[in-house]
């Protein structure tokens, strides 16, 4: 599951540990086997919350949401018979362990799905995103994937991905209003 960094400045902010040095930044790469899942947004059900509650899930609600994701993953494994699944996480951090950038995703069923690729604003246009995509592609090839795939919004990094060989294969208009969500894919040559 993707975990967001807390917005409160220093308190409780995770640090990146066990770094390997790569250029001026530190890089951590980890992969592990686990059942595949699909992250999805969830709106609170009236059965779970009352009108006075916020739209942020409680810890109990988040556990239920994760259970739904896990159940879908188990169904997918049984339905396809494809059990090989590998997560990937590559991050770059500064000398103090502050997150500068990262890519998270997984390979399953011949596809490497990139769930999140983020580069801090002051680190953009320095090749960091390209290094992260290269790491994802290396992971994909190592696990026999024939394609990489991801989604992004039209106000995000569409041209960045297109420059790296991704093509748009689907579009959900007006999500959010006035914009679109795009599904992109990059075929990997043998």
């Amino acid at each position: 599951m993707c975990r967001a960094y807390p917005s409160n400045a220093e308190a409780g902010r995770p640090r990146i540990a066990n770094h390997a040095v790569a250029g001026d930044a530190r890089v951590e790469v980890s992969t592990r086997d686990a059942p595949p899942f699909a992250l999805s947004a969830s709106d609170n059900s009236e059965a779970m919350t009352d009108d006075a509650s916020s739209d942020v899930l409680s810890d109990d609600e988040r556990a239920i949401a994760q259970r739904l994701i896990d159940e879908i993953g188990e169904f997918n494994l049984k339905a396809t018979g494809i059990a090989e699944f590998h997560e990937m996480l590559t991050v770059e951090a500064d000398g103090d362990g502050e997150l500068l950038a990262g890519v998270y995703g997984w390979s399953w069923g011949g596809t490497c799905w990139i769930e999140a690729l983020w580069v801090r604003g002051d680190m953009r246009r320095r090749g960091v995103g390209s290094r992260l995509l290269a790491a994802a592609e290396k992971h994909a090839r190592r696990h026999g994937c024939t394609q990489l795939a991801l989604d992004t919004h039209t106000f995000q990094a569409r041209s960045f991905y297109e420059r790296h060989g991704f093509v748009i294969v689907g579009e959900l208009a007006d999500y959010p209003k006035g914009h679109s969500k795009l599904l992109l894919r990059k075929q990997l040559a043998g």
Side-chain angles (χ1 to χ4, degrees):
M1 179 172 175
C2 271
R3 297 205 190 330
Y5 282 80
S7 58
N8 54 343
E10 290 296 319
R13 233 174 153 172
R15 297 277 191 247
I16 310 302
N18 301 322
H19 305 52
V21 176
D24 293 335
R26 295 174 179 227
V27 177
E28 176 184 288
V29 178
S30 68
T31 60
R32 68 180 175 98
D33 299 335
F37 58 89
L39 295 176
S40 60
S42 173
D43 196 4
N44 289 340
S45 166
E46 288 184 32
M48 292 296 295
T49 61
D50 59 34
D51 291 337
S53 69
S54 76
D55 286 336
V56 176
L57 297 180
S58 69
D59 289 343
D60 288 342
E61 291 169 325
R62 184 133 342 260
I64 292 168
Q66 185 60 49
R67 169 80 187 275
L68 294 172
I69 292 166
D70 293 343
E71 292 293 338
I72 291 169
E74 288 300 316
F75 173 84
N76 292 347
L77 289 175
K78 289 176 186 172
T80 64
I82 301 170
E84 187 175 343
F85 174 83
H86 305 277
E87 285 184 292
M88 66 159 176
L89 174 65
T90 303
V91 300
E92 293 194 11
D94 66 16
D96 295 325
E98 283 296 318
L99 184 65
L100 300 175
V103 62
Y104 167 73
W106 54 84
S107 59
W108 177 69
T111 296
C112 178
W113 180 260
I114 298 173
E115 180 65 23
L117 190 153
W118 173 81
V119 178
R120 196 172 74 187
D122 63 325
M123 296 302 295
R124 293 180 185 153
R125 302 199 184 286
R126 296 183 182 192
V128 176
S130 296
R131 283 196 305 272
L132 293 172
L133 274 181
E137 189 168 329
K138 183 177 179 182
H139 167 90
R141 290 181 187 284
R142 185 171 61 248
H143 294 289
C145 295
T146 58
Q147 63 183 352
L148 287 108
L150 57 89
D151 58 34
T152 191
H153 289 282
T154 50
F155 57 86
Q156 291 177 323
R158 172 184 179 170
S159 61
F160 168 77
Y161 294 118
E162 288 175 330
R163 283 193 311 272
H164 286 85
F166 286 80
V167 295
I168 297 169
V169 295
E171 180 175 354
L172 176 61
D174 285 327
Y175 179 60
K177 288 184 180 185
H179 304 279
S180 293
K181 185 160 192 133
L182 306 171
L183 177 62
L184 292 94
R185 165 173 84 174
K186 179 179 180 178
Q187 298 275 65
L188 298 178

